Amino acid sequence: MSVNIAVGLTTAVVLPRCQRIRRFFTGDEVNFPVRQSREQLNLFFIDAIEAGIDAAVQVEMDDGGLHAFYVRSIPSNSEVMSDLTVLVEDPACPAGRRLRSDANGKDPAYTGKQDLAVERRGAVAEANRGGIPAEDPREFSRSVPFDPATMHVNDIEVLATDKSDMEIAPVSAWHDEIWTYFDYRSVIDRGRVPVPLLVEDGVDQKVNWRVIGNGILVVEAIAPTMILKSGQSVLCVRNRWRPSQARQGVIAGPSGGGPGKD
């Protein structure tokens, strides 16, 4: 999740009420000081000290879960709006915020109004694809079944220009012709799971990503070049696989970006 923080303005991050924060890992503790609420164990605050800085903030929960945020500091007079409050919702959390249909519940002919949080619990259950949440048929035109034959473990190379950058290197990396995976499970205690960015025409581009299990970084894209960034540490990721090798039904995105589904 990306968060814009203006210098001089504090951003509040509200996690699901049934979760409790255990500790924080911040890629840049100097420019992004983080403090937890004394009264609410699911609430914390982030400040930005200097504009033009980005970093990753990882929040470890008591239940072993991990919330990952890509934070970016912006000037106080920026045209980009600062995120003053960030709400993180978990449909499976019974004590969290409730999501309901906005249909007219006063209409006696309408009987479909229900708690969407309850409805989605089955849809977000862990699936066979390495713990990736099952796809909700209401959000995708179709699903692509998991196929072990598409797992590629020898295509990806992680490069560093400085030895110190290897502190944020994954133990291993692979892809399944749809998404890219980085294994940080054995080094998650370092608190240095970096932010992934696509490189298209020499320009860094945001990409959807998340951390699952005990430290698998999932990047929802396939690209010839990515970077992994945390504070001043940067790694270059090269993928030798090309979309022309894709299985039937998977369409690669433009300029080597994340593939879509037809």
Side-chain angles (χ1 to χ4, degrees):
M1 177 180 291
S2 298
V3 181
N4 292 315
I5 305 174
V7 174
L9 296 177
T10 298
T11 292
V13 181
V14 185
L15 301 177
R17 293 183 183 178
C18 62
Q19 298 182 2
R20 295 187 175 187
I21 298 171
R22 176 183 298 174
R23 54 181 174 174
F24 301 94
F25 301 105
T26 307
D28 191 335
E29 297 179 355
V30 175
N31 287 296
F32 293 102
V34 178
R35 63 188 188 278
Q36 183 177 351
S37 169
R38 295 181 178 180
E39 298 180 357
Q40 289 184 250
L41 299 181
N42 64 322
L43 171 65
F44 68 96
F45 305 93
I46 310 178
D47 291 292
I49 304 302
E50 180 181 349
I53 308 295
D54 59 357
V57 175
Q58 318 287 337
V59 185
E60 183 181 359
M61 313 307 294
D62 273 349
D63 60 3
L66 185 72
H67 292 283
F69 300 90
Y70 168 66
V71 295
R72 182 177 61 175
S73 59
I74 58 177
S76 58
N77 60 349
S78 173
E79 294 182 358
V80 178
M81 290 292 293
S82 178
D83 297 312
L84 297 179
T85 304
V86 178
L87 299 176
V88 179
E89 296 183 333
D90 182 0
C93 177
R97 293 170 57 85
R98 313 302 288 180
L99 301 176
R100 293 186 179 274
S101 168
D102 59 1
N104 184 8
K106 297 181 180 179
D107 184 352
Y110 179 74
T111 60
K113 186 176 179 66
Q114 57 184 308
D115 191 333
L116 298 182
V118 175
E119 180 184 348
R120 285 183 55 86
R121 284 177 190 169
V124 300
E126 295 289 310
N128 265 340
R129 292 191 54 205
I132 297 173
E135 294 175 348
D136 187 336
R138 296 171 299 170
E139 298 179 0
F140 298 87
S141 59
R142 70 176 184 84
S143 62
V144 178
F146 171 68
D147 183 359
T150 63
M151 301 297 290
H152 299 264
V153 297
N154 298 316
D155 291 342
I156 296 177
E157 184 178 17
V158 179
L159 306 171
T161 57
D162 189 276
K163 185 177 180 180
S164 63
D165 292 336
M166 293 304 294
E167 293 181 358
I168 64 170
V171 175
S172 60
W174 66 94
H175 70 90
D176 62 358
E177 300 182 5
I178 300 178
W179 291 341
T180 307
Y181 305 82
F182 299 92
D183 186 357
Y184 284 92
R185 286 176 294 182
S186 63
V187 295
I188 192 67
D189 287 341
R190 297 180 192 170
R192 298 297 299 275
V193 176
V195 173
L197 298 167
L198 299 185
V199 179
E200 297 183 358
D201 299 326
V203 179
D204 298 347
Q205 303 286 346
K206 291 183 180 180
V207 62
N208 290 333
W209 62 279
R210 52 204 162 95
V211 177
I212 63 173
N214 294 323
I216 300 293
L217 172 61
V218 182
V219 181
E220 298 180 5
I222 295 287
T225 305
M226 296 184 188
I227 63 172
L228 300 174
K229 185 174 182 181
S230 179
Q232 300 301 315
S233 299
V234 179
L235 294 174
C236 178
V237 179
R238 302 285 189 183
N239 189 344
R240 293 185 291 271
W241 184 83
R242 292 296 177 266
S244 60
Q245 303 168 248
R247 54 182 162 169
Q248 184 178 5
V250 178
I251 303 175
S255 303
K261 301 177 179 65
D262 58 9

